[in-house]
Amino acid sequence: QVQLVESGGGSVQTGGSLRLSCAASGYPYSAYWMAWFRQAPGKEREGVASIYSAGAPYYADSVKGRFTISRDSAKNMLYLQMNSLKPEDTAMYYCARARYANWMRDPLSAIDFDSWGQGTQVTVSS
């Protein structure tokens, strides 16, 4: 059974930093793309960053240069380091696992991910 458990959210001021973590279990972690998505009230869920076991990660244009995604295959962990946070980064952040092993069509599309964590809230105040 796939389990994804996020942690690390919180409230910060503009310009601050947070590090999100996601503990994954129940499947061969290295075989799957992993990603962070976010959803603000009244908005659609959007892909923030995505990473596979090899190759470069993908980022949404809105977070490039500020966020860094990483994974630790030895610990089955996924991370999102968020720096220079802005009020528009306020959202519920979700860890997600790809629908299929060793395959990805669009690394930032929610359609290609089918396992989700419960989410962790990030609030950035001005």
Side-chain angles (χ1 to χ4, degrees):
Q1 181 179 356
V2 177
Q3 283 197 320
L4 302 171
V5 181
E6 302 98 334
S7 61
S11 297
V12 296
Q13 293 188 327
T14 298
S17 297
L18 284 172
R19 188 193 194 207
L20 306 184
S21 300
C22 172
S25 62
Y27 67 98
Y29 182 69
S30 297
Y32 287 81
W33 281 80
M34 296 293 296
W36 289 99
F37 287 78
R38 67 186 181 187
Q39 188 166 19
K43 295 187 176 181
E44 292 188 358
R45 189 169 295 190
E46 64 170 339
V48 174
S50 185
I51 189 169
Y52 185 51
S53 298
Y58 288 77
Y59 294 97
D61 288 343
S62 58
V63 307
K64 281 180 182 177
R66 300 188 298 122
F67 290 10
T68 302
I69 189 172
S70 61
R71 63 191 292 168
D72 185 335
S73 294
K75 297 180 179 179
N76 287 8
M77 293 292 295
L78 181 72
Y79 304 101
L80 185 68
Q81 178 66 43
M82 304 185 296
N83 298 328
S84 302
L85 283 161
K86 305 175 181 179
E88 50 264 44
D89 295 318
T90 295
M92 186 72 78
Y93 283 71
Y94 297 92
C95 170
R97 192 206 76 170
R99 187 178 300 276
Y100 303 112
N102 303 310
W103 184 87
M104 178 53 61
R105 180 186 60 87
D106 184 344
L108 295 178
S109 171
I111 294 175
D112 287 348
F113 293 82
D114 69 345
S115 298
W116 301 85
Q118 81 286 354
T120 186
Q121 179 68 37
V122 172
T123 303
V124 185
S125 59
S126 57

